[in-house]
Protein backbone atom coordinates (compact mmCIF):
# COMPACT_ATOMS: atom_id res chain seq x y z
CA UNK A 1 0.00 0.00 0.00
CA UNK A 2 1.32 3.43 -0.90
CA UNK A 3 0.37 6.92 0.31
CA UNK A 4 -2.59 8.49 -1.49
CA UNK A 5 -3.82 12.06 -1.87
CA UNK A 6 -6.73 13.07 0.37
CA UNK A 7 -8.98 13.64 -2.65
CA UNK A 8 -8.51 10.02 -3.76
CA UNK A 9 -9.28 8.67 -0.27
CA UNK A 10 -12.39 10.87 -0.08
CA UNK A 11 -13.60 9.73 -3.51
CA UNK A 12 -13.20 6.04 -2.62
CA UNK A 13 -14.97 6.42 0.74
CA UNK A 14 -17.88 8.18 -0.95
CA UNK A 15 -18.01 5.39 -3.54
CA UNK A 16 -18.30 2.94 -0.62
CA UNK A 17 -21.37 4.79 0.69
CA UNK A 18 -19.81 7.16 3.22
CA UNK A 19 -20.83 10.81 3.49
CA UNK A 20 -18.90 13.71 4.94
CA UNK A 21 -20.64 14.95 8.08
CA UNK A 22 -18.22 17.28 9.82
CA UNK A 23 -14.74 18.72 9.90
CA UNK A 24 -12.69 19.92 12.84
CA UNK A 25 -9.39 21.49 11.91
CA UNK A 26 -7.70 19.35 9.29
CA UNK A 27 -9.66 16.16 10.07
CA UNK A 28 -12.82 15.20 8.21
CA UNK A 29 -15.40 12.76 9.59
CA UNK A 30 -17.17 10.36 7.22
CA UNK A 31 -20.20 8.29 8.30
CA UNK A 32 -22.06 5.33 6.82
CA UNK A 33 -25.22 4.04 8.47
CA UNK A 34 -26.21 0.41 8.01
CA UNK A 35 -29.00 -1.62 9.60
CA UNK A 36 -26.63 -3.13 12.15
CA UNK A 37 -24.28 -0.24 12.94
CA UNK A 38 -22.99 3.21 12.15
CA UNK A 39 -19.45 3.27 10.78
CA UNK A 40 -17.31 6.36 11.31
CA UNK A 41 -13.95 7.07 9.67
CA UNK A 42 -11.81 10.12 10.41
CA UNK A 43 -9.51 11.22 7.58
CA UNK A 44 -6.80 13.88 7.82
CA UNK A 45 -7.24 16.47 5.07
CA UNK A 46 -3.55 16.50 4.15
CA UNK A 47 -1.90 16.61 0.76
CA UNK A 48 -0.93 12.97 1.19
CA UNK A 49 -2.41 10.34 3.53
CA UNK A 50 0.33 7.94 4.68
CA UNK A 51 0.05 4.18 4.28
CA UNK A 52 -0.30 3.52 8.03
CA UNK A 53 -3.03 6.13 8.38
CA UNK A 54 -4.82 4.67 5.36
CA UNK A 55 -4.81 1.23 7.00
CA UNK A 56 -6.36 2.75 10.12
CA UNK A 57 -9.04 4.47 8.01
CA UNK A 58 -9.91 1.17 6.30
CA UNK A 59 -10.13 -0.57 9.69
CA UNK A 60 -12.50 2.16 10.99
CA UNK A 61 -14.60 1.91 7.81
CA UNK A 62 -14.67 -1.91 7.95
CA UNK A 63 -13.39 -2.13 4.36
CA UNK A 64 -10.85 -4.70 3.20
CA UNK A 65 -7.89 -3.64 1.07
CA UNK A 66 -9.18 -5.69 -1.88
CA UNK A 67 -12.58 -3.95 -1.82
CA UNK A 68 -10.92 -0.54 -1.39
CA UNK A 69 -8.72 -1.05 -4.45
CA UNK A 70 -11.76 -1.98 -6.57
CA UNK A 71 -13.59 1.26 -5.72
Amino acid sequence: MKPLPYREVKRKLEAAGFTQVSQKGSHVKFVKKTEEETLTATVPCHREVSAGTLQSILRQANITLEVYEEL
Side-chain angles (χ1 to χ4, degrees):
M1 182 180 298
K2 61 181 182 176
L4 290 175
Y6 165 77
R7 290 171 47 169
E8 182 72 18
V9 176
K10 177 184 177 187
R11 183 185 64 78
K12 289 191 176 206
L13 282 175
E14 288 174 343
F18 284 81
T19 56
Q20 181 177 338
V21 293
S22 67
Q23 179 172 351
K24 186 168 185 175
S26 65
H27 288 75
V28 181
K29 187 187 295 185
F30 290 88
V31 172
K32 177 180 179 181
K33 294 185 179 188
T34 63
E35 292 180 7
E36 299 86 30
E37 60 188 344
T38 300
L39 300 171
T40 304
T42 304
V43 181
C45 187
H46 299 155
R47 176 175 287 177
E48 198 171 72
V49 178
S50 69
T53 303
L54 188 55
Q55 287 178 340
S56 175
I57 293 166
L58 294 179
R59 196 170 28 255
Q60 292 173 34
N62 200 18
I63 299 174
T64 63
L65 184 58
E66 294 78 24
V67 172
Y68 183 77
E69 289 175 349
E70 291 177 6
L71 296 173

